[in-house]
Amino acid sequence: MLAVADTVRADSAETVGALKRLGLEVVLLTGDNAGAARAAADAVGVDRVIAGVLPEGKVDEIARLRADGHRVAMVGDGVNDAAALATADLGIAMGGGTDAAMHASDIALAGHGIAPVVTAIRLSRRTMRVIRGNLFWAFAYNVAALPLAALGLLNPMIAGAAMAFSSVFVVLNSLRLRTAP
């Protein structure tokens, strides 16, 4: 008898735990047989396993999850993952993966571990918070100061200064992204 199995990446269990702490559901969607997939999932703490899936089946599963109202991020590294990476809301290709996976994904990670997936998700969440904050203050300025200035209720010099301050605020707020997450 001959048995062949993929080894689990060293940082997989820690990464799965971090993703769960971010409130994400982690699913192992693989073309491997059910026994190998369940063993890998148990080793890293993944509860839900969908095994023995061909590339078209991966696309169908992602489409089903999206139809159920889930936002889906797919992490993959092979040719068999390319279509699923393109179908997901967010496709993340692993460093060292195939060119097809890299081109089909939205994000291509450098290196060989999967821990950068957590960093990418944290950074994207922070970026969206900053963008929302910037939009709020820009709209607040436009909704409040511009009509008051147009009606003559606010000195145009003050309105101009407020506009300059809103631009400075947006830049300074965005610079917060340079600090570690």
Side-chain angles (χ1 to χ4, degrees):
M1 174 187 258
L2 176 66
V4 179
D6 290 331
T7 57
V8 175
R9 293 180 192 242
D11 59 349
S12 298
E14 183 180 328
T15 302
V16 168
L19 292 170
K20 286 181 174 181
R21 286 189 296 280
L22 288 174
L24 302 174
E25 178 186 359
V26 180
V27 177
L28 178 58
L29 179 61
T30 180
D32 292 343
N33 70 57
R38 185 74 257 162
D42 289 343
V44 299
V46 173
D47 301 319
R48 186 168 170 211
V49 177
I50 303 168
V53 183
L54 297 174
E56 309 84 49
K58 291 179 181 182
V59 170
D60 293 342
E61 183 63 25
I62 289 171
R64 188 189 63 72
L65 288 167
R66 291 182 72 200
D68 289 345
H70 298 283
R71 288 184 294 173
V72 178
M74 166 75 181
V75 180
D77 65 355
V79 173
N80 291 338
D81 297 325
L85 287 166
T87 303
D89 294 304
L90 174 64
I92 304 173
M94 299 303 302
T98 64
D99 286 344
M102 297 285 193
H103 290 328
S105 65
D106 300 301
I107 299 173
L109 300 176
H112 293 286
I114 64 170
V117 170
V118 177
T119 303
I121 290 171
R122 284 184 180 143
L123 181 59
S124 67
R125 286 181 173 182
R126 285 186 69 207
T127 301
M128 289 308 298
R129 279 194 303 273
V130 167
I131 289 170
R132 287 184 195 106
N134 289 346
L135 286 172
F136 170 80
W137 288 109
F139 281 121
Y141 165 77
N142 287 320
V143 168
L146 289 179
L148 291 175
L151 293 171
L153 301 173
L154 182 63
N155 184 325
M157 294 294 284
I158 294 172
M163 184 176 195
F165 174 74
S166 75
S167 296
V168 170
F169 173 81
V170 165
V171 170
L172 292 175
N173 192 36
S174 297
L175 286 174
R176 292 182 319 130
L177 290 172
R178 294 180 58 135
T179 61

